[in-house]
Amino acid sequence: MEIENIVANTVYIKARESGGQKKGKSKKWKNYLQFPHYSECLYLRSEIDVSYGFIVEKQPIGKLLFQQFCETNLQYSQACSFLLKVQEYETSDDDGESRRTLAKSIAAMLSPSSETPCSSQELLWCSFLSDQLISKCLSVADHATHESEPSGDIFSEACKQVRTFLAAEPFREFIETKYFHRYLQWKWLEKRPVDKHTFRLYRVLGKGGFGEVCACQ
């Protein structure tokens, strides 16, 4: 029994030492995590929720892939950045100074640059927002930069309309791209069954009345 423990300990230590190296990775585990061709996952479109609210707002991997897709289009990328900044503003636990700085940067995203005439709204990423709403956002943002404790919901209406914009044509384009195919591959992998054969056991760490505790990978 003592020899068995020595052997088990040696295997366990070597596994820990090589955990971050290529040679220490299990071939079986690599095969288990390998993505199939995306065409084998297309059937999942009819089995899962394919909506903006679910994929982008409730699935972390979906949100990341959608952001990567939006980076291929300047307008979509700016819209995503706006939502992220507003989210940071609304959830900021820092002092008022941080919120005032964020309010100023958000307002800058809604303002035409000095090289762009104010009348050229089509050149702005937020051209789908009304002039009235943009003016209101700029006004409340300017007011927030002078408040000691700026309100957290001053951009809520603009945020709602930007979200509606992204959930329309940009999202429809997204679900026809490789980014959405990658999302389906992840969902396929997520559905794979996990059982005791998925893990590699190294040694028994302890035993109790309800079973054994093993070191595994």
Side-chain angles (χ1 to χ4, degrees):
M1 181 62 69
E2 185 175 347
I3 295 178
E4 291 179 358
N5 282 336
I6 293 174
V7 173
N9 285 336
T10 302
V11 173
Y12 176 57
I13 291 172
K14 285 186 175 296
R16 292 193 61 180
E17 290 176 346
S18 61
Q21 301 175 13
K22 186 176 181 180
K23 65 180 182 180
K25 294 182 179 179
S26 168
K27 184 177 181 180
K28 182 182 74 172
W29 183 248
K30 288 173 65 178
N31 292 335
Y32 183 83
L33 291 177
Q34 189 172 10
F35 289 130
H37 191 270
Y38 78 89
S39 60
E40 299 178 33
C41 308
L42 293 178
Y43 72 93
L44 290 173
R45 290 187 63 162
S46 60
E47 298 182 4
I48 61 176
D49 186 348
V50 186
S51 65
Y52 178 90
F54 180 75
I55 293 178
V56 180
E57 297 183 338
K58 294 184 179 180
Q59 299 286 294
I61 187 65
K63 180 179 181 179
L64 177 62
L65 290 169
F66 182 71
Q67 288 175 350
Q68 290 177 355
F69 159 74
C70 287
E71 289 174 1
T72 63
N73 181 293
L74 181 59
Q75 184 182 31
Y76 301 168
S77 178
Q78 288 285 80
C80 278
S81 296
F82 178 82
L83 289 184
L84 290 174
K85 279 187 175 293
V86 171
Q87 182 181 20
E88 183 182 359
Y89 174 86
E90 292 178 343
T91 59
S92 176
D93 293 328
D94 298 330
D95 56 6
E97 180 61 32
S98 297
R99 272 198 169 179
R100 288 193 292 272
T101 302
L102 281 169
K104 187 175 181 179
S105 65
I106 292 171
M109 294 186 69
L110 296 172
S111 303
S113 64
S114 57
E115 295 83 9
T116 305
C118 294
S119 59
S120 301
Q121 287 292 322
E122 68 276 7
L123 298 179
L124 289 174
W125 69 268
C126 53
S127 57
F128 54 88
L129 298 178
S130 66
D131 292 341
Q132 182 181 3
L133 178 58
I134 292 178
S135 297
K136 180 181 178 181
C137 287
L138 294 176
S139 176
V140 295
D142 181 66
H143 184 66
T145 59
H146 298 89
E147 288 185 335
S148 57
E149 292 294 334
S151 175
D153 60 351
I154 60 177
F155 299 108
S156 58
E157 182 59 31
C159 189
K160 180 180 178 181
Q161 292 195 26
V162 172
R163 178 193 178 279
T164 300
F165 165 75
L166 288 174
E169 187 60 28
F171 185 74
R172 285 194 291 270
E173 293 177 13
F174 165 73
I175 60 177
E176 300 299 332
T177 65
K178 63 180 181 180
Y179 300 97
F180 179 68
H181 293 158
R182 177 63 78 187
Y183 174 77
L184 292 179
Q185 288 174 316
W186 276 110
K187 299 306 288 184
W188 179 91
L189 196 63
E190 185 182 84
K191 288 179 175 292
R192 294 200 65 178
V194 177
D195 55 30
K196 64 180 182 179
H197 301 295
T198 307
F199 302 89
R200 175 192 287 178
L201 301 182
Y202 287 108
R203 61 154 297 176
V204 177
L205 298 178
K207 296 183 179 181
F210 297 97
E212 299 177 341
V213 177
C214 298
C216 62
Q217 184 182 47

